[in-house]
Amino acid sequence: MADGGSSLQVFALRLAPGEELLSSLLSFVEERKLRAPFIITCVGSVTKATLRLANATAGNTNEVIQLNERFEIVSLVGTLNKEAHLHICLADKDGKTVGGHVLGDLEVFTTAEVVIGEATDLQFSREMDAHTGFPELVIHPRYEKAV
């Protein structure tokens, strides 16, 4: 675990209809060589999504749903290192919500307006956690502190 805080750099982007949200965000992060990126906020809509539900475990990753209708993005949170860990909440035409771990297929319907932050003094990585069975976030200082 990293101690202390970090300076913040902020980026904003808008994705157009038909673009895939997760792969677009990962490309954005890779192109800019961001090392500790995370979602600050996101609004928009999608026409489909593939999500892993809360009941999934390392031994049972079959808790997956594929959605194929129009949804408003009411929340998107998480980290965006190479193995992104994002959770999304979507609202349907009746305002009913569904959410889960983003696996992909988030096809933008009208727009996705995303604000990304980067902790400029930190670096994120993922390492397998024997307790959870999933690769979990590890936070490192980006620079060695002078003694």
Side-chain angles (χ1 to χ4, degrees):
M1 177 175 10
D3 60 346
S6 177
S7 298
L8 174 66
Q9 187 169 12
V10 177
F11 302 87
L13 69 148
R14 177 186 176 256
L15 300 176
E19 291 187 80
E20 199 284 316
L21 184 59
L22 178 58
S23 61
S24 296
L25 292 174
L26 291 174
S27 292
F28 183 89
V29 165
E30 186 176 322
E31 289 166 8
R32 283 154 186 81
K33 299 182 181 359
L34 305 182
R35 295 192 280 175
F38 57 93
I39 299 294
I40 295 175
T41 191
C42 174
V43 296
S45 57
V46 295
T47 57
K48 61 182 180 174
T50 301
L51 308 177
R52 187 179 69 220
L53 301 177
N55 201 36
T57 64
N60 175 25
T61 57
N62 295 333
E63 299 289 327
V64 173
I65 57 171
Q66 294 180 326
L67 305 169
N68 288 292
E69 61 181 280
R70 293 178 183 166
F71 290 94
E72 288 289 324
I73 300 169
V74 295
S75 177
L76 179 68
V77 296
T79 55
L80 285 166
N81 49 311
K82 290 184 182 185
E83 294 182 53
H85 187 184
L86 298 178
H87 289 188
I88 196 165
C89 183
L90 302 168
D92 70 11
K93 63 182 173 55
D94 298 317
K96 294 179 183 161
T97 58
V98 62
H101 176 92
V102 173
L103 293 178
D105 293 331
L106 289 169
E107 185 176 300
V108 174
F109 175 48
T110 58
T111 190
E113 301 164 6
V114 187
V115 180
I116 298 171
E118 183 189 26
T120 57
D121 300 317
L122 302 176
Q123 183 165 321
F124 295 162
S125 64
R126 292 208 165 268
E127 294 177 11
M128 186 56 71
D129 183 303
H131 181 70
T132 67
F134 289 103
E136 302 293 0
L137 181 68
V138 178
I139 305 161
H140 304 279
R142 191 174 298 188
Y143 309 104
E144 294 297 321
K145 293 183 180 183
V147 178

